[in-house]
Amino acid sequence: MKHLLYVFGLVAMVAGLSSCQGNNNDDQANATCPVGTTYYNGACYTGNGGYVQPSGTSYQNGFYADTYSGTSQLQIVNGGKMQEFFQYGMGVCNRAGGASGGYYGCDAYVGGSMDMIIQFPPNGGNSLLATFVAQPRVNPYFNYGYQLPSGWGALGIALGMVTGVFLPDPKQYNGVYRNPLQLQLAVSLINNSVGFSANGYGDAWSGLNRTKITIEVPQGKMQDNQLPFIFKVGDVPAAQGTFTRCQRMNCGL
């Protein structure tokens, strides 16, 4: 069946994504959220928008890596795994049941801009807060985006136009949209205690809620100014680079 185009746009976009170095000073400290909730802008939220009071543990000692500032390093080494992270972990692309393209497609995010920020409690500890921010690749002159339903989704739309009852597309991804995405990860020492590994799972309301997310620092400690790292999705390396210590309180978050 011919797919029915239900979202198509031609717009000009300017991506204003700032690194830790460039953000405004912010004295607010990130706090620990209960399991099953997500930290965002000073509060913990459940999947249905409910608010949960965070605990007193704060995350202020921070490092950042990005793809664009030149003051840190972040490089994608497995485009397929990063597409999986962008689509099912953050929900920013390929949400339609059929095809997605332009700035709605995950290819645009693999080739776009990304920030990865880690923050520790002031006195160390066995956890860290990881923040991920992603923006699609944009052209300064012309951009477009489209999303197409699956065959069953197109049939549901056609049926709805006739009967007024629109059936959902069974192949459409309906997980949460998290951009920025913030995850609490448990920290343990590795390589004879010269490095550490931070491990956890995707957001509880995302498609990666049972997929292991890892930030591995083969050699380094939170007192250093730079930390080489490997970012893994399901134990598979997806990106790598070097974190640089944030120069702004709370990394500007």
Side-chain angles (χ1 to χ4, degrees):
M1 175 179 291
K2 184 178 179 180
H3 285 176
L4 177 65
L5 177 64
Y6 70 101
V7 177
F8 186 85
L10 298 175
V11 300
M13 295 176 62
V14 177
L17 185 62
S18 300
S19 70
C20 297
Q21 297 266 9
N23 288 339
N24 293 328
N25 198 345
D26 187 348
D27 293 332
Q28 176 185 340
N30 292 337
T32 304
C33 290
V35 176
T37 64
T38 300
Y39 176 88
Y40 182 61
N41 282 352
C44 302
Y45 293 93
T46 62
N48 58 9
Y51 169 80
V52 178
Q53 179 66 37
S55 68
T57 302
S58 62
Y59 294 95
Q60 296 174 300
N61 186 13
F63 296 79
Y64 74 95
D66 61 49
T67 59
Y68 54 88
S69 70
T71 56
S72 66
Q73 183 184 358
L74 175 57
Q75 178 185 6
I76 292 175
V77 297
N78 188 320
K81 275 296 170 183
M82 284 306 300
Q83 282 199 22
E84 180 182 335
F85 181 73
F86 290 136
Q87 179 178 1
Y88 298 111
M90 300 183 70
V92 295
C93 57
N94 286 10
R95 298 185 65 95
S100 300
Y103 51 77
Y104 287 121
C106 287
D107 286 343
Y109 282 86
V110 171
S113 302
M114 185 176 184
D115 284 74
M116 190 180 300
I117 300 163
I118 58 173
Q119 293 172 275
F120 300 89
N123 298 319
N126 58 359
S127 68
L128 64 77
L129 182 70
T131 303
F132 306 88
V133 184
Q135 294 288 347
R137 177 183 61 249
V138 295
N139 184 299
Y141 304 106
F142 175 81
N143 291 282
Y144 71 97
Y146 66 85
Q147 299 188 78
L148 298 171
S150 68
W152 284 109
L155 180 62
I157 294 173
L159 180 65
M161 290 179 176
V162 175
T163 66
V165 179
F166 290 86
L167 299 178
D169 188 340
K171 294 187 176 181
Q172 179 176 312
Y173 175 62
N174 294 311
V176 293
Y177 175 92
R178 301 282 194 226
N179 194 14
L181 167 68
Q182 292 186 305
L183 303 174
Q184 285 181 275
L185 307 178
V187 175
S188 57
L189 297 177
I190 59 173
N191 297 339
N192 294 320
S193 299
V194 300
F196 63 87
S197 180
N199 298 278
Y201 293 90
D203 184 273
W205 301 94
S206 75
L208 295 188
N209 59 2
R210 296 185 179 181
T211 299
K212 187 178 178 182
I213 303 296
T214 300
I215 297 175
E216 184 177 298
V217 176
Q219 183 172 348
K221 54 186 182 299
M222 61 178 287
Q223 291 79 14
D224 296 341
N225 288 321
Q226 291 191 317
L227 298 171
F229 73 93
I230 302 169
F231 174 63
K232 299 179 179 180
V233 178
D235 289 325
V236 178
Q240 65 183 24
T242 301
F243 286 115
T244 298
R245 183 177 295 279
C246 294
Q247 300 301 308
R248 299 288 183 179
M249 180 69 71
N250 200 33
C251 292
L253 294 174

